[in-house]
């Protein structure tokens, strides 16, 4: 029993036992799918807490690991913008508790149904908060994946058929982490020089160098990949190319339709079959397309048992939340606003969300995190 517990204990992270980057993304996407099935602020807050705890326990000191705070701030901004639009443009929610009244702009007859200003109800504010919190939780889950997954190692694990998109993926996935690192570096430099780091003027002076530096470094990485022969192809028969294109495009369309079915409350029945069929077709297409790639991988990342546990915990959270949204008594997942009622924390969905904490105990511990915990 003691030996079994020691085997499950998370080891110190090294190059040989590093967790696969794709496992972090699957875990985060599972949490995001769970967030899309509810507007209960208590469950959404629990999802954010789970993602934040795992990030705090397993992120490294790499530049991309600092992007999580930026995503949290972006989520708060989304909530504020959603509430602001609800106040300025009105809401379809008919409330009874008037908070205040804004001057209403008269609209022409062709703009019936559009309102600017007017009465602002407490019900519409609460509805906007719930809706904005849902989107903010999705962004924070994506931010958790950005903070935990090494973008370079994730790119290395892409199938060979996706080499055309590889350069674009490098630029996209390294832009945000580089931008966050540049912001911290420039703010520290300004603070050492005695200059202000807050306010509109400071942001305007920092913004352009940050964007330019982050983009230049991302493009430099893409250029170095191209100079090393990334994307070199081999000749394959035309029939194989056409079959690959049809399977890949058809599979991706199936994945998009299936994902929409899973995210929409009324499409859960057809979402899973379409998603499974799309993934199967896309996998076959990518396998055939990989025959065009002649590049090799140096020390490829392995998908071990801990990667399965991390990815499986996210999938379990998503599956249990989808199931909870279809059974009787799922009203607590979408608390009503007319009349205004306090949201309740449903027991089983909350316990299913806690499964997402598993990576904090089974994923390898970064060296810096272990040293700081002593």
């Amino acid at each position: 029993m003691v030996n079994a517990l020691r085997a499950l204990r998370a080891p110190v992270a090294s190059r040989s036992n590093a967790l696969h980057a794709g496992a972090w993304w699957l875990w985060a996407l599972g949490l995001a799918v769970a967030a899309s099935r509810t507007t209960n602020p208590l469950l959404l807050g629990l999802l954010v807490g789970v993602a934040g705890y795992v990030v705090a326990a397993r992120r490294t000191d790499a530049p991309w690991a600092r992007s999580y705070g930026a995503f949290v701030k972006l989520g708060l901004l989304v909530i504020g913008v959603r509430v602001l639009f609800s106040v300025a443009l009105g809401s379809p929610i008919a409330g009874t508790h008037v908070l205040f009244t804004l001057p209403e702009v008269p609209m022409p007859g062709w703009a019936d149904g559009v309102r600017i200003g007017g009465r602002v109800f407490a019900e519409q504010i609460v509805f906007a908060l719930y809706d904005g919190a849902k989107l903010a939780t999705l962004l924070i889950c994506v931010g958790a994946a950005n903070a935990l997954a090494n973008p370079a190692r994730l790119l290395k694990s892409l199938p060979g058929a996706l080499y055309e998109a590889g350069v674009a993926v490098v630029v996209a996935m390294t832009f945000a982490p580089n931008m966050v690192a540049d912001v911290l570096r420039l703010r520290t430099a300004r603070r050492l020089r005695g200059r202000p780091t807050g306010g509109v003027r400071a942001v305007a002076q920092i913004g352009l160098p940050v964007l330019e530096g982050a983009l230049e470094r991302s493009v430099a990485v893409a250029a170095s990949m191209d100079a090393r022969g990334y994307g070199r192809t081999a000749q394959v028969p035309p029939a194989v190319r056409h079959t690959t294109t049809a399977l890949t495009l058809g599979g991706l369309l199936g994945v998009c339709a299936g994902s929409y079915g899973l995210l929409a409350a009324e499409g859960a029945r057809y979402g899973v079959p379409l998603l499974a069929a799309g993934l199967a077709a896309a996998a076959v297409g990518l396998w055939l397309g990989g025959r065009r790639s002649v590049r090799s991988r140096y020390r490829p990342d392995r998908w071990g048992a801990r990667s399965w546990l991390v990815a499986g915990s996210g999938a379990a959270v998503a599956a249990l939340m989808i199931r909870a949204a279809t059974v009787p008594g799922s009203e607590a997942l979408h608390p009503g606003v007319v009349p205004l009622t306090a949201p309740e924390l449903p027991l089983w969905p909350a316990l299913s969300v806690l499964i997402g904490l598993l990576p904090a105990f089974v994923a390898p511990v970064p060296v810096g995190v272990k040293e700081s915990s002593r």
Side-chain angles (χ1 to χ4, degrees):
M1 184 65 180
V2 177
N3 293 332
L5 293 176
R6 289 179 178 176
L8 293 175
R9 188 177 181 181
V12 178
S14 62
R15 183 61 185 84
S16 59
N17 64 359
L19 199 71
H20 198 285
W24 286 122
W25 273 98
L26 292 178
W27 166 79
L29 291 178
L31 297 185
V33 170
S36 68
R37 311 302 296 184
T38 179
T39 56
N40 190 316
L42 300 179
L43 287 176
L44 294 176
L46 188 59
L47 284 167
V48 172
V50 167
Y53 181 82
V54 175
V55 170
R58 289 298 181 267
R59 71 174 175 180
T60 63
D61 295 331
W64 61 81
R66 305 172 186 174
S67 61
Y68 181 74
F71 279 90
V72 173
K73 295 177 182 178
L74 180 60
L76 295 176
L77 178 63
V78 166
I79 296 176
V81 171
R82 180 66 179 86
V83 173
L84 181 62
F85 271 85
S86 177
V87 170
L89 304 179
S91 173
I93 303 299
T96 57
H97 298 80
V98 180
L99 296 178
F100 52 89
T101 302
L102 296 175
E104 186 170 355
V105 178
M107 303 297 292
W110 54 267
D112 289 339
V114 179
R115 178 172 64 87
I116 300 178
R119 293 182 298 176
V120 178
F121 299 95
E123 289 82 355
Q124 77 179 68
I125 297 296
V126 174
F127 177 79
L129 284 173
Y130 289 174
D131 199 33
K134 180 179 178 179
L135 181 56
T137 305
L138 293 174
L139 291 173
I140 291 174
C141 291
V142 174
N146 275 278
L148 293 170
N150 187 330
R153 290 176 55 193
L154 180 63
L155 178 66
K156 188 176 68 172
S157 302
L158 285 178
L162 299 179
Y163 72 90
E164 290 95 345
V167 175
V169 170
V170 168
V171 174
M173 295 190 64
T174 58
F175 180 76
N178 287 336
M179 184 173 62
V180 172
D182 285 343
V183 168
L184 296 176
R185 179 175 55 81
L186 290 176
R187 291 188 64 182
T188 302
R190 290 179 64 87
R191 192 179 298 110
L192 292 175
R193 294 184 177 95
R195 298 179 180 178
T197 58
V200 178
R201 183 177 180 182
V203 172
Q205 293 176 350
I206 292 175
L208 185 59
V210 165
L211 293 176
E212 183 180 1
L215 185 59
E216 283 183 355
R217 286 200 288 175
S218 300
V219 173
V221 174
S224 66
M225 292 173 58
D226 184 68
R228 289 171 172 83
Y230 185 83
R232 189 179 301 146
T233 59
Q235 295 294 330
V236 295
V240 176
R241 291 203 307 269
H242 298 330
T243 304
T244 301
T245 303
L247 287 174
T248 304
L249 291 179
L252 293 179
L253 290 176
V255 169
C256 292
S259 300
Y260 176 80
L262 290 178
L263 295 176
E266 64 276 3
R269 294 184 178 179
Y270 69 83
V272 174
L274 273 178
L275 182 61
L279 288 174
V284 175
L286 293 176
W287 177 74
L288 289 175
R291 298 173 59 182
R292 299 177 56 195
S293 177
V294 295
R295 67 184 179 93
S296 60
R297 293 187 179 94
Y298 174 69
R299 299 174 67 180
D301 294 334
R302 300 187 181 277
W303 191 282
R306 297 184 185 275
S307 298
W308 282 112
L309 288 174
V310 171
S313 64
V317 173
L320 291 174
M321 190 65 72
I322 292 173
R323 176 60 179 169
T326 58
V327 299
S330 60
E331 294 81 8
L333 297 180
H334 301 279
V337 295
V338 180
L340 281 175
T341 57
E344 299 178 356
L345 182 64
L347 178 59
W348 291 111
L351 292 178
S352 66
V353 171
L354 294 180
I355 299 176
L357 290 173
L358 185 62
F361 304 98
V362 301
V365 183
V367 177
V369 174
K370 184 176 182 180
E371 291 177 350
S372 61
S373 63
R374 289 181 177 178

